[in-house]
Amino acid sequence: MSAEHDHDSGHSARWEIGFAIASGVTYASGMIAEYALGQPSVATFFFLATYFFGGWFTIRSAVKSTLAGKFEVDFLMLVAAIGAASIGRFAEGAVLLFLFSLGHALEEFALARASKSIEALAGLAPRSAEVHIGGPSTLAGEFAERPIDRVEVGDLVLIRPNARVSADGVVVDGRSAIDQSAVTGESMPVEKEPADGPRPLDENKVFAGTVNGSGALVVRAVARAEDSTLSKVVELVASTDQAKSPTQRFLDRFQRIYVPAVIAFVIGVYLVGQFVLGKEFADAFYLAMAVLVAASPCALALATPSAVLAGVARAARAGVLVKGGAPLETLGRVESIAFDKTGTLTWGEPHVTDTVAAPDVELDELLSTTLAVERLSDHPLATAIAEGVAARTSTVLTATDLQAVTGRGVRALIDGEQVEIGNERLFTDAGIVPDGAVAADIERLQAGGRTLMIVRRAGQFLGVIGVMDTPRREAVEVLGRLRESGVSDIVMISGDHQQVAEAVGREVGVDRALGGLLPEDKVTEIRGLSGTDARRCAMVGDGVNDAPAMAQADVGIAMGAAGSAVALDTADVALMSDDLGRLPFAVRLSRRTSRIIRQNLIAALGIVVFLVIVTFLGMPMGPVVFIHEGSTLIVVANALRLLRFDVGREHDGVEHELRPDKVAAAA
């Protein structure tokens, strides 16, 4: 989609909304002039103005659909409005055009906004790359800037510290930690270094659009820009069609028959009245127009949008943004929900979860030693450890001579004694094996999905620090409420390792936990959840990597405060606060909305049938119009009940947990 098209569609949507608002103002002015001021001529002027503003885009839409061979509800509404005016019922036609134009304008505006998400995705990738042009194939080589579309597979690309990675590739020189949550969803920066022996290639791969840490890297490109993982994300979002809601599909099928049938029926009424029953032209035309007004789908047209507007407004008051009727209605039909792990069921940031001292070692010694060393490092994981440990010890030690061992940990001195803090490779590379008790702690914590820092001082193991992206305490309660609401299958999908995913899944109580997934893998899993039995599936996420899966799902749900702008634009529903407890409320509200829509449709169709019958039996136009307008009020009043939908049971029982860092700060 071109930028020019985006601009034109957005411009047209703003004009259409302006015309719809103008038609509402003129209609209200006409009603005041006629019923409050007793000025029918002035009222007629305002109603005609409503015809202009409300009918301008309606006429364009009706002409376009008619030329395409489709007689849709907008065509019948236009004919009904003209028919109402021809028998002096200007107010009837005016309100019809106002409400229809307003709903259509809001749809166009939503479509114009949706296209911006693709631009935001594509903007993550750098426009240029520094490509190797001479010298050694290392950081010491010569590099020159080149447009990203001229980077070929096999080129060596320099990734500077704290810069975005410009191409998918594998590391051939340098060491650094890369924040690749934007693509893979992993909660913590991943250490990258050249391949070493049998080490899996995937651990050395980098992705375009991710953010490099403090070290420089040389990467061998493995894909051109248009074939990068990020480009696939953009393509997936751009190519995914949003399915219409069941009621919308029903009305689409119904109006193909209803609209031409009503037109043919009205013409038949006029012909029979004049040429068979021998009525005068005025009487036959009056009867035909009375039938047209009786059969006009005013209440039918309002049955869905009035409920949708009330439901969306109620959701907004509860901090839930719903982008239109399709997701609002479809959410209530969901049987399966897939949750992204990072930032959704968890906080999305590493936190200290375990501090286990070795036998004969005081816990405070482990904590104070760890704090003294880690506070000197600027590594993201070291920062998280320092913050978590600082709240648990008051002992102050001073460390010096910090040395970083990339991909493994750090070394420093405390009172002249060497302190080593890092993963197992820091020690195994030096031929040091943890003793039995510490080894058992390491195995146990790794099985629980923890990232481990082993602490050793002066040749003695002090213990182990476990770090994890901690689950939200409210997640367990939220999943329970969703099951009460009829959601039968709850799955967690994550870019983290399967072991980490399973550990979090057990803690929060999902039915299945799937790890090690890239964005395209998540899309495949969402398709599998929908399955062959046409089950409705929702996807809850917060990052760029979740956008394709949310677009593929029947309903995409974004966590607002923690989510990226792309996820919010791509999603159908956004929880505006960082509060997962709003999700059960949204599901229950959606189900109530669907019930009210069905009630409105049945009532609207029933009243139309009744009015057509009593019109033939001789009921005057006045009562017909009164009942017709009354049916509209009934439909609207029924829909407005959604504004009083009680959030209490759906949310009040879910205690919203403070972020772990805020809890520590409060303490």
Side-chain angles (χ1 to χ4, degrees):
M1 186 176 294
S2 67
E4 180 180 358
H5 178 78
D6 291 344
H7 174 76
D8 291 343
S9 61
H11 184 72
S12 175
R14 287 192 293 271
W15 271 103
E16 193 166 354
I17 287 179
F19 270 52
I21 293 174
S23 68
V25 172
T26 53
Y27 171 72
S29 300
M31 295 296 288
I32 292 173
E34 182 167 358
Y35 295 104
L37 303 179
Q39 298 290 330
S41 59
V42 176
T44 300
F45 168 79
F46 281 117
F47 290 146
L48 290 176
T50 304
Y51 268 67
F52 172 77
F53 289 114
W56 179 263
F57 287 96
T58 304
I59 289 174
R60 292 175 58 182
S61 177
V63 170
K64 182 178 179 180
S65 61
T66 303
L67 292 177
K70 300 177 181 178
F71 292 95
E72 298 178 346
V73 171
D74 53 1
F75 176 79
L76 186 55
M77 283 186 170
L78 195 60
V79 174
I82 295 173
S86 69
I87 57 175
R89 300 288 177 177
F90 291 100
E92 173 91 4
V95 70
L96 197 65
L97 290 176
F98 158 58
L99 293 172
F100 184 73
S101 64
L102 180 61
H104 192 267
L106 292 175
E107 282 185 24
E108 291 298 317
F109 183 76
L111 289 174
R113 285 292 303 274
S115 64
K116 295 180 180 178
S117 64
I118 300 175
E119 294 179 7
L121 279 171
L124 289 176
R127 297 179 180 273
S128 62
E130 294 188 61
V131 180
H132 181 259
I133 60 173
S137 301
T138 65
L139 292 170
E142 297 180 27
F143 297 85
E145 192 168 355
R146 182 183 298 177
I148 194 64
D149 57 3
R150 291 179 54 195
V151 176
E152 302 292 339
V153 175
D155 283 348
L156 297 178
V157 179
L158 175 65
I159 311 298
R160 295 188 180 276
N162 304 313
R164 284 196 179 273
V165 176
S166 50
D168 280 11
V170 291
V171 177
V172 298
D173 190 36
R175 291 176 174 82
S176 185
I178 291 184
D179 178 2
Q180 53 188 40
S181 59
V183 173
T184 68
E186 291 171 280
S187 55
M188 291 182 287
V190 180
E191 299 287 351
K192 302 292 181 178
E193 61 181 19
D196 182 14
R199 192 179 182 200
L201 182 64
D202 286 347
E203 293 189 18
N204 307 291
K205 189 172 183 179
V206 297
F207 303 99
T210 57
V211 181
N212 189 22
S214 57
L217 297 172
V218 175
V219 173
R220 177 177 287 109
V222 297
R224 290 178 53 84
E226 61 268 24
D227 299 322
S228 69
T229 302
L230 183 63
S231 296
K232 293 177 182 178
V233 171
V234 175
E235 182 180 354
L236 286 168
V237 174
S239 63
T240 301
D241 295 325
Q242 294 184 351
K244 289 185 177 181
S245 69
T247 302
Q248 286 176 312
R249 291 199 300 271
F250 165 75
L251 290 177
D252 285 345
R253 293 193 299 269
F254 181 79
Q255 70 183 5
R256 295 191 190 105
I257 302 172
Y258 184 77
V259 174
V262 168
I263 297 296
F265 184 63
V266 168
I267 294 175
V269 168
Y270 166 73
L271 294 176
V272 170
Q274 185 171 10
F275 297 107
V276 177
L277 301 179
K279 291 179 177 290
E280 296 291 333
F281 169 79
D283 294 336
F285 184 75
Y286 179 86
L287 178 61
M289 289 301 98
V291 171
L292 181 61
V293 171
S296 65
C298 187
L300 181 64
L302 285 173
T304 299
S306 60
V308 167
L309 288 173
V312 169
R314 181 66 188 94
R317 282 166 47 195
V320 180
L321 175 63
V322 182
K323 298 181 179 179
L328 180 64
E329 184 179 355
T330 306
L331 181 59
R333 301 173 184 266
V334 160
E335 297 178 25
S336 300
I337 296 183
F339 288 87
D340 176 56
K341 179 186 76 68
T342 305
T344 306
L345 292 177
T346 67
W347 284 111
E349 297 176 356
H351 296 282
V352 174
T353 56
D354 304 89
T355 54
V356 183
D360 301 324
V361 174
E362 293 292 335
L363 179 61
D364 190 66
E365 181 182 358
L366 169 67
L367 298 176
S368 58
T369 301
T370 302
L371 176 60
V373 175
E374 296 288 28
R375 69 182 2 160
L376 298 180
S377 175
D378 60 357
H379 191 283
L381 193 56
T383 302
I385 293 174
E387 291 178 353
V389 171
R392 309 182 190 198
T393 180
S394 58
T395 303
V396 178
L397 299 178
T398 302
T400 59
D401 297 334
L402 180 75
Q403 295 179 350
V405 184
T406 304
R408 291 158 177 79
V410 293
R411 295 189 179 97
L413 295 177
I414 296 180
D415 295 332
E417 297 178 341
Q418 180 168 282
V419 177
E420 299 155 297
I421 301 178
N423 55 32
E424 282 188 281
R425 292 186 64 189
L426 177 66
F427 301 98
T428 57
D429 287 354
I432 303 171
V433 179
D435 57 32
V438 174
D441 292 333
I442 292 173
E443 183 177 356
R444 175 176 58 83
L445 293 176
Q446 284 180 335
R450 269 60 168 174
T451 298
L452 300 185
M453 290 291 107
I454 305 168
V455 184
R456 186 170 182 260
R457 177 176 179 178
Q460 179 188 9
F461 286 103
L462 301 185
V464 183
I465 304 293
V467 179
M468 189 178 184
D469 180 12
T470 54
R472 299 169 183 257
R473 187 174 64 244
E474 64 198 68
V476 176
E477 182 72 11
V478 167
L479 299 191
R481 291 289 170 86
L482 289 175
R483 288 190 173 94
E484 291 177 5
S485 300
V487 179
S488 58
D489 189 21
I490 299 177
V491 181
M492 186 184 74
I493 57 180
S494 173
D496 278 335
H497 293 298
Q498 180 66 29
Q499 194 175 46
V500 175
E502 289 178 352
V504 175
R506 286 192 299 269
E507 190 164 345
V508 300
V510 299
D511 297 316
R512 286 175 292 148
L514 306 174
L517 304 179
L518 290 173
E520 55 265 34
D521 301 322
K522 292 183 179 181
V523 172
T524 301
E525 293 297 335
I526 293 298
R527 288 175 182 155
L529 285 177
S530 297
T532 57
D533 55 355
R535 289 186 303 171
R536 298 291 183 182
C537 173
M539 167 68 189
V540 186
D542 78 309
V544 175
N545 60 294
D546 304 322
M550 287 193 292
Q552 178 65 42
D554 295 294
V555 182
I557 304 170
M559 292 290 290
S564 68
V566 174
L568 288 173
D569 286 339
T570 306
D572 304 301
V573 179
L575 309 182
M576 300 307 292
S577 64
D578 193 16
D579 183 0
L580 194 60
R582 296 293 177 182
L583 184 56
F585 160 75
V587 171
R588 292 176 185 265
L589 175 62
S590 172
R591 297 194 171 187
R592 179 68 62 83
T593 301
S594 296
R595 287 198 296 270
I596 286 191
I597 288 174
R598 288 194 295 270
Q599 294 169 3
N600 282 352
L601 291 174
I602 293 172
L605 289 172
I607 291 175
V608 165
V609 172
F610 170 76
L611 287 178
V612 170
I613 293 175
V614 297
T615 298
F616 278 111
L617 294 177
M619 179 176 285
M621 176 64 70
V624 170
V625 173
F626 178 80
I627 295 174
H628 187 274
E629 289 301 311
S631 69
T632 302
L633 294 176
I634 291 173
V635 166
V636 173
N638 190 43
L640 291 180
R641 291 193 300 126
L642 288 169
L643 295 175
R644 300 191 303 273
F645 184 75
D646 185 14
V647 70
R649 184 178 184 275
E650 285 72 22
H651 179 260
D652 288 351
V654 180
E655 182 181 357
H656 180 51
E657 181 187 12
L658 290 174
R659 297 181 67 87
D661 52 348
K662 292 184 178 179
V663 172

